[in-house]
Structure formats: structure tokens, C-alpha cells
Amino acid sequence: MSTLLILLRKELKSFIYNPFGWVVVAAVTLANGVGISTAMKGFVDTPSQDSLTFVTFHSPVFWFWFLFIFPLITMRLFAEEEKTGTLETLLTAPVRTWQVVGSKYLAALVFFCLAWLPTLIQFHLFGWVADFPDAWTPGEMGATYLILFLMGAAFTAVGCFASALTSSQIIAGLLTLAFLMLLYFIGYVPVIWGGSFRGVGIFDYISCQNHLATFAKGWIDTKPVVYYLTLAATVLFLTYQVVDYRRWKR
């Protein structure tokens, strides 16, 4: 476990000490701020019973920038080290493959969570400045960030897997984005074809849009929790197999 923590600390430093990491944090903060401002303007134009969190995250604009976070965070995890040759040195060191994969994955996931910390302040900011009550409840806020974390855990695993497949950061980023876009558009199959065909329940079960909409209302469903944790574990297992194959191939 101490080896895992040492590797995790090393990977976290590569995020924190890299200016590009802070660019990602700034981009998330800016994009979420635009989303909150747009939602609040919508409240002025058309009063709604929905909470601020629901309106902010329940829009195609949110998904556009949200899915782009993961290629940016994960594309360099294995691909950059493979290209520079440092991955070979790491894999020949007295560390286990699962420690290498786990440290890179956890570092990316921790950084993903850190990038969302400023957004918590943004949701409170309007109430502090205008002295108005918050347009959301703690339950809605907590459930929303829970599903964002679960999706982040699964989508970060996808990015790790894509990065382990290639030595090109660009290809790794494109593979990650392609898979996440596929997951996103699968959720629109019942909308396009209707909900009367056989197997529609499967598409509803894996629809990330439905999951976020449900949790943003303050409702916690155990099915998405199991789905995202299972997806993360499965993809990480595949990543382990790819990296371990490279290790013994050398």
C-alpha cells in the first residue's frame, strides 16, 4: 500500500505542478459559471419549479464541455510515458501492475474532484451577493455531486484504458471522447425511436442524461450507483490487462 501511495503522490504532483492542469480547473469553473448564469437568466425569463442544479446540468451545453474534461485529464497518463520511454522504466521497477494502474487512475479521479471544488462556491455566490435564499436544497446539491462523482469514476477509467492502448495522446483523447459520446447518444435512442420497443429498459438503464436528471432532483437511485461502479471496475480490469501484457512483452 505504501508503494501505491508513493506512486499516487507522484502522479498528483504531475497534475498540480503542470500549468495545463490549472487550465482545466479554470475551464471547468468558467463553463459551470456560464451554465449557472444561463440557468438564472432562464428563471427570470420563465419562472420554473425546478432547482438551480437541475436547470444548470440538464442541458446539452453542459454535456458538451463535461465530456471533454476526461480526454484532457487522462490522455497523457500512459500515452505520454509510453512515448517518452519512462513507462518501460516504471514497469521494470519493483512495483506491481495494479499499483501503476491504480495510482494513475486515482490521481486522475482526485484531480477531477478538485476541479469541481470551485463550482460549490459558485452555487453559493448568488445567495451571498444578493442576500437571497439558495435556489436549491442540500439534498439536490448532494445528490447531483454524487452522480457527477460516479460518472467521473467511470469516465476516468475509460480514459485510462484509452491512454493505455496507444502512445499518442491525441489518439487516446479521441478514443476517450468517442466512447463517451457513444454512451451519451445511446441515451437518446428511446427519445428517437419511442419507448415501446423491446429492450428500451436497457437504454434507460445506461442513459447518463436520465441519471443526472434524477439525481439533480434530489432522488438517489441505487441502479446508477451499481452501473457506474461496475463500469469503472470492468474498464480498470481491462486497463490492467493491457498494461500487464505490455510489461511481460518487454
Side-chain angles (χ1 to χ4, degrees):
M1 186 60 69
S2 60
T3 303
L4 176 63
L5 293 178
I6 293 173
L7 292 174
L8 175 58
R9 194 156 45 237
K10 167 184 171 292
E11 295 296 332
L12 277 176
K13 287 181 180 179
S14 68
F15 281 106
I16 296 175
Y17 295 158
N18 191 334
F20 182 74
W22 294 105
V23 171
V24 174
V25 174
V28 171
T29 305
L30 177 62
N32 190 70
V34 172
I36 293 176
S37 300
T38 303
M40 293 174 60
K41 184 179 184 303
F43 284 148
V44 174
D45 297 337
T46 307
S48 174
Q49 295 296 324
D50 295 322
S51 67
L52 180 60
T53 54
F54 179 86
V55 177
T56 300
F57 295 120
H58 192 63
S59 69
V61 176
F62 163 76
W63 288 104
F64 175 78
W65 64 264
F66 179 71
L67 296 180
F68 269 93
I69 297 174
F70 302 98
L72 296 176
I73 292 177
T74 63
M75 63 183 183
R76 55 175 293 277
L77 291 178
F78 292 98
E80 183 183 26
E81 293 206 41
E82 174 69 19
K83 184 176 181 179
T84 58
T86 55
L87 182 62
E88 181 177 358
T89 304
L90 180 62
L91 293 179
T92 55
V95 296
R96 297 185 177 182
T97 305
W98 71 267
Q99 294 172 331
V100 175
V101 175
S103 62
K104 290 182 177 295
Y105 168 73
L106 290 176
L109 183 58
V110 169
F111 183 77
F112 169 79
C113 295
L114 291 176
W116 282 92
L117 289 180
T119 65
L120 290 172
I121 301 176
Q122 289 177 315
F123 279 104
H124 286 282
L125 193 59
F126 179 75
W128 292 339
V129 174
D131 197 23
F132 284 167
D134 294 323
W136 43 267
T137 64
E140 292 168 337
M141 181 64 70
T144 300
Y145 275 83
L146 173 61
I147 193 62
L148 289 176
F149 169 77
L150 291 171
M151 288 192 293
F155 295 170
T156 300
V158 171
C160 286
F161 178 64
S163 184
L165 291 175
T166 177
S167 60
S168 171
Q169 295 187 48
I170 296 177
I171 295 177
L174 291 176
L175 287 175
T176 303
L177 186 61
F179 185 81
L180 297 184
M181 292 294 289
L182 177 62
L183 283 180
Y184 173 75
F185 284 110
I186 281 177
Y188 281 109
V189 171
V191 177
I192 298 173
W193 288 355
S196 59
F197 66 93
R198 183 177 299 179
V200 66
I202 298 177
F203 292 97
D204 289 332
Y205 179 75
I206 63 178
S207 173
C208 49
Q209 303 97 308
N210 290 345
H211 299 157
L212 183 55
T214 300
F215 277 66
K217 294 178 181 178
W219 304 338
I220 297 179
D221 187 1
T222 56
K223 291 181 180 179
V225 176
V226 174
Y227 166 68
Y228 287 114
L229 292 181
T230 303
L231 178 61
T234 302
V235 178
L236 282 177
F237 175 75
L238 295 176
T239 307
Y240 168 85
Q241 295 297 328
V242 171
V243 176
D244 199 51
Y245 172 76
R246 284 188 174 184
R247 180 173 196 167
W248 293 111
K249 183 180 178 181
R250 298 174 191 277

